[in-house]
Amino acid sequence: MNKFGFTISKGRQIDYESNDRRIADYIFEKEPSFRLCIECGGCSATCTTSNFTVFSLRELNILIKRGENDQVRQNLKKCMLCGKCTLVCPRGVNTRNIVVLAKKAFQKSDEYAI
Amino acid sequence: MQFDPFVIPFNIGLYFILIYVVARSVIWFRDLSRPDKLRLQRGFFGIPFALSLKEIFMESLIHRKILKTNLRLGYMHMSLAFGWFLLILFGTIEADIFGAKHLNAPYKAIFFRFFNPDHGRMGFEAAYGFLMDLILVFILSGLLLAVTKRFYSKIVGMKKTTRLKLTDRIALTSLWLIFPSRLLAESFTCGVYGTGSFLTGSLGAWLAAFLPAQQMAYPFWWLYSISLGTFFILLPVTRYMHIPTELFLIFMRNAGIKTGDKAGTYSEVQTYSCSSCGICIDACQLNFSAGITNIQSAYFMKAIRNNDDVSEIADNCLMCGRCDQKCPVGIELSPIRMIQRRGGEAENDIRNIYKGYFRSRQTIISEKAIASSNYNFLQETVPEKTDILYFAGCMTHLTPSIKNSMIKILDASGVKYSFIDKQGGACCGRPLMLAGQDKEARELINYNSQMIWKSGAHTLVTSCPICYKVFKESYYLDVEVLHHTQFIKMLIDDGSVKLNFLHKKVVYHSPCDLGRGSGVYDEPKDVLKHVSRLERSNFEDGNSLCCGGSLANMKISSQTKKKIALDAAIELTKNSPDILATACPLCKKTFSAVTETRVADISEIVAEALIMNPLKKNSGSNISSIKELANI
Amino acid sequence: MSKHVVVIGGGVAGLEVAGQLSKVGIEVSLIEKENKSGGHLNNWYRLFPDRRNSTEVKEYLDGMTHNGGIKLLTNTTIEKLNRSGSHFSITTNEGKELIADAVIVATGFDLFKSARKEEYGYGIYDNVFTSADLEEMFKKGELALTNGIVPETIGIIHCVGSRDEKVGNFYCSKLCCVTAVKQAIEIREYLPDSKVFCFYMDMRMGGAFYEELYREAQEKWGVNFIRGKVSEASETIENKLLIKVEDTLAGRPLKMKLDMLVLMAGMEMSEGGKKIAGIGGLRTGENRFFAATDNHFGSNKSNIEGVFYAGTCTAPMNITETISHARAAVVEVIDYLKNSK
């Protein structure tokens, strides 16, 4: 069938209904400041890890919130927990705890066993 | 033969606890590592043994450290412990001298007056009776304080007292009943026979005047025995286990045994040695600044003893070490917390009473082994060869004034140095360790070590106490690690830098990881005295406060941290200093946000006081020289 | 007998209040801590959104106050503020006592002290300036670096001291975005060869003609807008400023070397206002500005009857809003004076 040379790639869109947001819910419950992010990117800008490699805490956080967990699981481990992000955040988001909780959540869930 | 059925509860309790303590000690000893076993064996001879005995007398009986912190609380502990000890000691001697025969069963000493009611009428016997009454008064006065403390903790000068579980309550009640029932039992008996000294005699005579003393005495002897028996039997599952355990702890500590990284006998012995005196609760800033009252070390120790899931408690701590510093038993509270953090969430044990007596080693889920490296993106770099490395640390990059001041001082000193993380480096690893992620931290430590080693430097200077502590403790480096305050002190001492005296009133805040954490108290203050008018605060050295910004606590919100910072800043700036000086970028940032007083790192103050010598060449860095060229 | 009102603060709000009150025959004592009236307006060069010269507004305000009945007390601060019966007794720093029927507080705002955001290096690095510093440069007509060289790349950082819980300010100062856009245009006007980059968290162009100015900045002046909060700046060997930011829309960290950095300092409750709040027992809110009795219909009323607020001592406002708020205060005062006694 002629698709006129393009299709809508399934991987491109966030399928909100079928995505699993349990990791996000877990973090929301344990660390309510997770909700306060305004996506300013201050954390990613100052990040020690992103000085060396592709790593954006802001992006990982929003992906968790949308349930796009696959991209997060491996990447999150690059964090060194140095805490600069927490110091910079204008909204007082407890970014370090979010990383620790997310790592724990991924570890807990069998589905996402490392 | 002298015997009466009422002594049975006491006898059961006594023999039970003796057997139990021996069995428990054997298990503890068996679980020690080989080197620690040898250490402990050696600890039973010579000087360590003498030290242990002295410490047992001073701390377990007299409670010297509690007395120093809080006189009334100390008296309470002392009167119960030392008084009871004296009562047993002199009771045994009394039974031995005046009893029917020598070497009696323990119950004969404890219930001496029941079996020898006619004793103590005159002369030496009466004097001895007076002594025994005096000891009883001593104990009862402490008991009165203890009872009052339970209901009005402020009376003994404590702001908070520990909360109890059911077995603790029963044990506490039985403990409280022991001495009053002894008093009444002895008094009634004395009342009947007209014996007894100033307390038991007078009380007995008075009671006998309107009560049938003959009939009243016997039930109280039963009550006395039952209270003792109950107390002994419940002892292992209550906080009173600290009484026998502390002896074991003192021997272990004097033998040179350390807590280490993993849970083991020593951490368990320490956990059981906590008497829940509550001094740590009053010392904790999370308590008095943030109103968090369930995570302090006394609760933490109890939760471990109860096999509760302690991960939440373990993580909710600034790791400032104030409680370690103040613990009268000398329990290494922070290392024990670190062990629990490494362990993560513990398996919830099914709670039953037997588990309390012979508790299996705490079950901790070990983290799944990480197959691949998390940080393989860190490329090996070859640094330039140099003598001195300056490692600013992550946080220092957010306080450029500290960074610039250090560059200025290093340039002025003329040493050959290299600024290793000028463009930002990898983290030192301590933040990961504080989160219990040691394996990950080790990767960063290896990466940094390699770089430091390749530079050929003999000295590593850092501006951040967090980095300093981990460089000192967890890196295996063949370089001298210095915090910049120590380095500046050296430069001043050998005349490499010349400083003006700034006419400023300065108060010094000792950062937790530098002061209590690493024992660096004097150098920062020496430097400050050299350039300014250093004034004392109410929180010096070991008693210094935490700024609240600690990376160690990931549970509290930034608003809570701010509350802690504000309280600390108010205390430190009470005498309105010109500068609140500190030696940590994190403390600086935290305090700057809450006080109007100027907050400055020591390096900044020194840089301000620097007398620039235009003849001195910068051999290490070319930053300022190029800048000067650009300005010409 | 004519009524007497003391107005504390001789900025835009204070001048407008004084002028309007004197128009209806009320005697006014206008207290100003500086040696002349005008407040922050004296420091601005041109005003957003139309970039008219600030002197035009100043002229209007001065004209208002020249019609007699206003006594201007410069270099004066207030040490005591007491209510005695239906009167207020006010003691100045020179020990002079004023008796007033009503008081209007128009103490305005202070600019956020940018050195508090140490990571941006104000006061540490040579070429980090604030929006106020830039206005001064515009006034002098010389836009240059500390060493006199003309900058080629200029970065403007929004939200310095606003929307930042780390400095204790949760609120949006709401004028910094449009100030940034205005200053970006002015820089481009001065230095046509320069490149200007605005680093913003959100563009809050909520005033009349603000959005149009934003369009103009893009369309006519080629100002670049990058969405991301700058986390820190450092100085390079060649004396440039290296900033770190995440280009959040591209999802990538961005490093950029700039010649000059301009910080859009936010608005805070003024020190003078804090002092008045202390001595007069006036209520302040969590944002430290004066708290009015009602946000909707009582924004000029204080917790003390007879004391009213005008202008930015209650919240960040632009000049238009400040003048409107000041006129509203006048209505409240007249109403109060009519009903008292």
Side-chain angles (χ1 to χ4, degrees):
Chain A
M1 199 168 92
N2 191 356
K3 287 183 177 172
F4 302 103
F6 66 89
T7 54
I8 295 170
S9 158
K10 207 180 167 197
R12 278 283 298 154
Q13 63 188 355
I14 295 170
D15 190 347
Y16 198 80
E17 278 73 34
S18 60
N19 274 2
D20 179 5
R21 286 182 299 280
R22 279 178 299 176
I23 302 271
D25 291 341
Y26 174 79
I27 301 172
F28 281 139
E29 191 202 318
K30 298 255 177 185
E31 183 54 68
S33 72
F34 189 37
R35 292 188 189 276
L36 292 177
C37 178
I38 50 167
E39 308 292 326
C40 74
C43 50
S44 312
T46 196
C47 179
T48 300
T49 296
S50 79
N51 228 0
F52 292 94
T53 184
V54 183
F55 181 79
S56 165
L57 188 60
R58 178 196 59 78
E59 196 173 56
L60 295 181
N61 280 350
I62 200 144
L63 287 173
I64 293 174
K65 283 179 189 165
R66 302 287 178 268
E68 294 282 298
N69 298 332
D70 285 343
Q71 293 178 57
V72 182
R73 201 184 317 139
Q74 288 305 318
N75 265 311
L76 207 59
K77 291 197 274 176
K78 294 178 182 173
C79 171
M80 303 183 190
L81 285 182
C82 75
K84 277 180 88 184
C85 46
T86 314
L87 243 63
V88 162
C89 180
R91 277 300 184 103
V93 179
N94 196 349
T95 47
R96 284 176 81 233
N97 197 27
I98 289 168
V99 173
V100 170
L101 287 172
K103 272 169 130 177
K104 204 188 255 179
F106 279 121
Q107 207 166 39
K108 272 189 172 177
S109 107
D110 287 332
E111 203 187 334
Y112 295 112
I114 295 164
Chain B
M1 190 196 157
Q2 288 182 317
F3 181 79
D4 193 282
F6 84 83
V7 304
I8 292 171
F10 164 75
N11 274 0
I12 294 174
L14 180 70
Y15 293 115
F16 167 78
I17 193 65
L18 286 178
I19 293 165
Y20 177 82
V21 167
V22 170
R24 192 72 182 258
S25 307
V26 169
I27 292 170
W28 275 335
F29 187 75
R30 192 194 62 198
D31 287 350
L32 277 175
S33 68
R34 258 191 71 80
D36 280 350
K37 272 183 191 158
L38 284 172
R39 279 193 194 104
L40 189 59
Q41 281 165 12
R42 263 184 252 127
F44 277 101
F45 300 99
I47 296 167
F49 186 71
L51 281 176
S52 298
L53 286 187
K54 186 186 159 208
E55 199 183 328
I56 286 170
F57 181 75
M58 292 309 289
E59 301 306 337
S60 303
L61 295 177
I62 306 285
H63 290 90
R64 181 182 58 104
K65 281 187 193 147
I66 305 187
L67 275 168
K68 265 164 75 180
T69 330
N70 180 334
L71 203 64
R72 271 169 291 181
L73 186 73
Y75 179 79
M76 182 192 105
H77 280 259
M78 178 177 75
S79 68
L80 285 171
F82 190 51
W84 201 355
F85 170 76
L86 291 176
L87 199 66
I88 295 167
L89 182 72
F90 285 104
T92 311
I93 296 170
E94 191 180 33
D96 198 51
I97 302 173
F98 307 116
K101 55 179 186 188
H102 299 297
L103 289 175
N104 299 288
Y107 74 84
K108 288 201 187 146
I110 303 298
F111 308 114
F112 180 78
R113 200 157 285 283
F114 178 83
F115 295 109
N116 307 281
D118 217 13
H119 172 81
R121 283 194 196 280
M122 31 195 102
F124 182 56
E125 285 185 10
Y128 209 99
F130 180 82
L131 177 71
M132 293 302 281
D133 266 13
L134 201 62
I135 297 170
L136 192 58
V137 169
F138 180 46
I139 299 176
L140 285 169
S141 66
L143 187 68
L144 192 67
L145 269 178
V147 177
T148 333
K149 173 186 172 238
R150 186 57 36 211
F151 299 109
Y152 310 98
S153 54
K154 283 207 175 85
I155 288 192
V156 287
M158 298 286 290
K159 292 185 196 83
K160 287 262 156 47
T161 191
T162 45
R163 288 181 291 268
L164 299 176
K165 58 174 183 166
L166 183 67
T167 41
D168 272 328
R169 265 177 224 275
I170 300 172
L172 185 69
T173 315
S174 57
L175 176 67
W176 283 358
L177 283 174
I178 291 171
F179 300 102
S181 61
R182 177 182 170 123
L183 173 70
L184 289 169
E186 286 194 336
S187 298
F188 278 120
T189 304
C190 292
V192 175
Y193 289 88
T195 53
S197 188
F198 71 95
L199 179 66
T200 48
S202 330
L203 185 62
W206 179 69
L207 288 171
F210 61 94
L211 286 170
Q214 186 74 53
Q215 285 79 13
M216 295 290 287
Y218 195 57
F220 279 103
W221 285 109
W222 265 100
L223 183 64
Y224 182 33
S225 171
I226 290 170
S227 314
L228 280 165
T230 313
F231 180 68
F232 288 147
I233 286 175
L234 285 178
L235 189 91
V237 288
T238 64
R239 61 199 178 119
Y240 301 105
M241 187 60 192
H242 80 87
I243 299 166
T245 315
E246 197 184 340
L247 310 182
F248 207 77
L249 169 71
I250 289 172
F251 278 111
M252 290 182 83
R253 184 169 50 223
N254 286 330
I257 295 171
K258 292 260 179 314
T259 305
D261 294 344
K262 287 195 214 66
T265 295
Y266 193 54
S267 64
E268 197 174 302
V269 166
Q270 292 187 84
T271 312
Y272 275 91
S273 296
C274 168
S275 67
S276 299
C277 69
I279 286 178
C280 53
I281 303 174
D282 275 1
C284 181
Q285 287 173 265
L286 287 181
N287 167 22
F288 65 75
S289 286
I292 299 170
T293 55
N294 55 354
I295 54 81
Q296 282 74 17
S297 291
Y299 300 124
F300 180 55
M301 295 290 119
K302 189 159 68 178
I304 298 177
R305 292 196 299 263
N306 292 350
N307 273 7
D308 294 340
D309 177 9
V310 293
S311 62
E312 287 283 321
I313 301 182
D315 288 344
N316 195 351
C317 170
L318 297 160
M319 289 281 185
C320 68
R322 278 172 62 82
C323 54
D324 291 61
Q325 198 77 26
K326 302 219 161 145
C327 177
V329 187
I331 301 172
E332 295 178 351
L333 297 162
S334 295
I336 294 175
R337 230 177 245 267
M338 287 299 292
I339 289 173
Q340 295 297 333
R341 286 190 179 190
R342 280 182 208 107
E345 280 170 42
E347 194 100 63
N348 261 334
D349 217 333
I350 304 150
R351 293 275 300 282
N352 66 41
I353 197 85
Y354 307 111
K355 272 274 194 286
Y357 284 97
F358 279 98
R359 174 175 167 279
S360 50
R361 171 88 346 102
Q362 198 166 19
T363 40
I364 289 173
I365 306 172
S366 57
E367 299 257 334
K368 279 185 187 139
I370 301 138
S372 62
S373 159
N374 290 328
Y375 306 112
N376 48 14
F377 54 82
L378 291 173
Q379 300 290 312
E380 271 188 39
T381 48
V382 184
E384 54 178 306
K385 290 271 175 198
T386 186
D387 297 337
I388 290 169
L389 280 182
Y390 175 56
F391 186 93
C394 299
M395 293 303 169
T396 314
H397 285 279
L398 289 176
T399 52
S401 177
I402 300 180
K403 198 169 68 177
N404 280 15
S405 301
M406 278 311 291
I407 292 171
K408 206 171 148 195
I409 295 164
L410 282 158
D411 286 346
S413 73
V415 296
K416 187 181 171 199
Y417 78 98
S418 152
F419 187 172
I420 194 165
D421 62 338
K422 187 157 56 185
Q423 306 300 332
C427 174
C428 63
R430 181 154 164 82
L432 278 164
M433 281 183 153
L434 285 170
Q437 301 180 8
D438 277 28
K439 280 198 196 92
E440 288 87 339
R442 192 44 67 185
E443 276 192 57
L444 297 182
I445 290 175
N446 290 344
Y447 170 79
N448 285 325
S449 298
Q450 198 188 49
M451 203 154 61
I452 294 163
W453 178 71
K454 278 184 186 161
S455 74
H458 54 68
T459 305
L460 174 63
V461 179
T462 177
S463 283
C464 177
I466 303 168
C467 304
Y468 174 74
K469 190 171 164 67
V470 75
F471 281 144
K472 266 290 226 222
E473 288 177 3
S474 308
Y475 280 61
Y476 304 107
L477 291 170
D478 195 20
V479 300
E480 192 180 4
V481 181
L482 295 175
H483 182 256
H484 72 224
T485 52
Q486 296 173 305
F487 181 68
I488 292 170
K489 171 88 167 50
M490 263 175 47
L491 294 180
I492 294 172
D493 287 349
D494 68 17
S496 302
V497 293
K498 297 260 180 291
L499 302 175
N500 289 313
F501 187 82
L502 305 172
H503 293 274
K504 294 249 166 74
K505 193 162 107 181
V506 174
V507 72
Y508 174 60
H509 163 75
S510 173
C512 299
D513 271 355
L514 190 66
R516 275 184 300 267
S518 308
V520 180
Y521 292 120
D522 296 336
E523 291 97 327
K525 288 198 281 188
D526 289 345
V527 172
L528 283 173
K529 276 179 207 156
H530 194 85
V531 294
S532 66
R533 214 168 75 229
L534 181 65
E535 303 221 331
R536 287 182 65 82
S537 72
N538 292 328
F539 296 89
E540 291 281 317
D541 297 348
N543 189 33
S544 60
L545 293 164
C546 173
C547 70
S550 167
L551 282 181
N553 194 327
M554 273 185 294
K555 293 287 162 195
I556 54 173
S557 70
S558 58
Q559 295 306 307
T560 308
K561 286 183 176 182
K562 211 163 247 182
K563 272 190 213 158
I564 298 169
L566 186 63
D567 276 3
I570 289 171
E571 279 299 335
L572 288 164
T573 55
K574 249 182 188 162
N575 295 324
S576 28
D578 299 316
I579 301 173
L580 169 54
T582 183
C584 169
L586 196 50
C587 293
K588 187 194 170 189
K589 267 206 116 27
T590 314
F591 278 138
S592 306
V594 295
T595 178
E596 297 285 316
T597 309
R598 183 187 161 201
V599 184
D601 188 274
I602 290 179
S603 62
E604 294 171 67
I605 301 170
V606 170
E608 230 175 272
L610 213 53
I611 302 168
M612 288 307 237
N613 184 350
L615 292 176
K616 207 169 245 173
K617 270 260 173 274
N618 313 300
S619 43
S621 162
N622 46 8
I623 290 181
S624 49
S625 48
I626 287 190
K627 243 188 183 178
E628 278 155 26
L629 281 176
N631 287 343
I632 287 167
Chain C
M1 194 192 118
S2 116
K3 301 276 184 183
H4 177 223
V5 173
V6 166
V7 179
I8 306 168
V12 173
L15 289 170
E16 178 68 21
V17 163
Q20 298 291 352
L21 284 174
S22 69
K23 259 195 209 168
V24 293
I26 293 171
E27 258 183 71
V28 176
S29 296
L30 182 57
I31 295 172
E32 170 56 46
K33 66 178 192 312
E34 304 294 333
N35 58 11
K36 60 174 177 178
S37 64
H40 288 282
L41 198 56
N42 295 324
N43 306 328
W44 309 149
Y45 173 50
R46 287 192 291 182
L47 306 174
F48 60 77
D50 49 8
R51 280 178 284 137
R52 73 193 300 181
N53 201 309
S54 66
T55 50
E56 292 174 28
V57 176
K58 185 76 198 325
E59 273 162 25
Y60 154 77
L61 289 169
D62 286 344
M64 290 282 295
T65 50
H66 281 163
N67 51 7
I70 299 172
K71 200 192 287 168
L72 178 64
L73 303 163
T74 53
N75 295 317
T76 304
T77 55
I78 287 178
E79 302 305 323
K80 272 185 207 149
L81 170 61
N82 293 318
R83 198 194 162 101
S84 50
S86 62
H87 293 284
F88 290 93
S89 117
I90 292 149
T91 315
T92 68
N93 54 335
E94 284 157 347
K96 201 169 154 190
E97 203 191 352
L98 301 168
I99 302 292
D101 296 295
V103 175
I104 294 187
V105 179
T107 45
F109 68 95
D110 280 353
L111 276 179
F112 173 79
K113 289 177 191 65
S114 298
R116 278 170 63 196
K117 287 297 280 180
E118 191 184 338
E119 50 268 50
Y120 293 152
Y122 185 68
I124 301 170
Y125 304 139
D126 290 342
N127 294 313
V128 181
F129 302 94
T130 64
S131 38
D133 297 338
L134 202 63
E135 288 295 322
E136 211 175 298
M137 288 189 203
F138 287 140
K139 275 183 116 173
K140 282 188 199 149
E142 37 189 64
L143 182 56
L145 301 176
T146 312
N147 57 10
I149 295 171
V150 170
E152 283 169 16
T153 51
I154 297 107
I156 297 179
I157 302 180
H158 293 224
C159 297
V160 177
S162 309
R163 305 179 73 198
D164 188 350
E165 70 101 51
K166 289 291 178 314
V167 296
N169 294 343
F170 286 76
Y171 57 87
C172 166
S173 295
K174 86 178 189 182
L175 308 176
C176 335
C177 279
V178 64
T179 304
V181 170
K182 184 207 74 158
Q183 293 194 336
I185 292 174
E186 287 172 305
I187 294 170
R188 293 278 294 125
E189 222 173 9
Y190 257 86
L191 309 169
D193 294 329
S194 66
K195 287 192 174 65
V196 179
F197 301 87
C198 285
F199 298 94
Y200 67 97
M201 298 205 285
D202 294 294
M203 288 300 285
R204 299 201 161 169
M205 309 303 282
F209 308 111
Y210 290 7
E211 190 67 20
E212 287 85 338
L213 193 70
Y214 181 16
R215 274 184 72 108
E216 187 190 327
Q218 294 174 298
E219 204 172 15
K220 191 169 166 196
W221 304 100
V223 176
N224 303 286
F225 291 89
I226 297 176
R227 188 186 177 281
K229 183 178 176 66
V230 174
S231 69
E232 69 222 66
S234 56
E235 225 172 18
T236 66
I237 292 168
E238 62 268 37
N239 210 11
K240 289 199 171 217
L241 293 154
L242 180 69
I243 56 144
K244 279 178 156 189
V245 64
E246 187 192 15
D247 188 331
T248 55
L249 300 178
R252 302 267 293 280
L254 184 143
K255 272 186 188 176
M256 189 186 270
K257 277 183 192 169
L258 297 162
D259 297 325
M260 180 193 254
L261 210 50
V262 184
L263 309 180
M264 290 298 127
M267 295 163 89
E268 287 189 323
M269 171 71 156
S270 65
E271 286 304 321
K274 280 186 206 164
K275 187 178 161 196
I276 304 281
I279 61 175
L282 295 167
R283 214 172 286 145
T284 55
E286 247 176 68
N287 58 8
R288 299 186 301 283
F289 286 101
F290 283 116
T293 53
D294 189 283
N295 285 334
H296 290 101
F297 48 80
S299 73
N300 298 99
K301 285 186 178 162
S302 79
N303 54 311
I304 295 174
E305 229 188 320
V307 178
F308 299 90
Y309 300 133
T312 54
C313 62
T314 59
M317 288 178 195
N318 65 20
I319 291 173
T320 319
E321 290 161 343
T322 304
I323 289 177
S324 306
H325 198 249
R327 287 177 188 166
V330 169
V331 173
E332 295 278 11
V333 172
I334 292 171
D335 193 42
Y336 169 78
L337 292 176
K338 215 191 282 168
N339 291 328
S340 69
K341 271 198 295 186

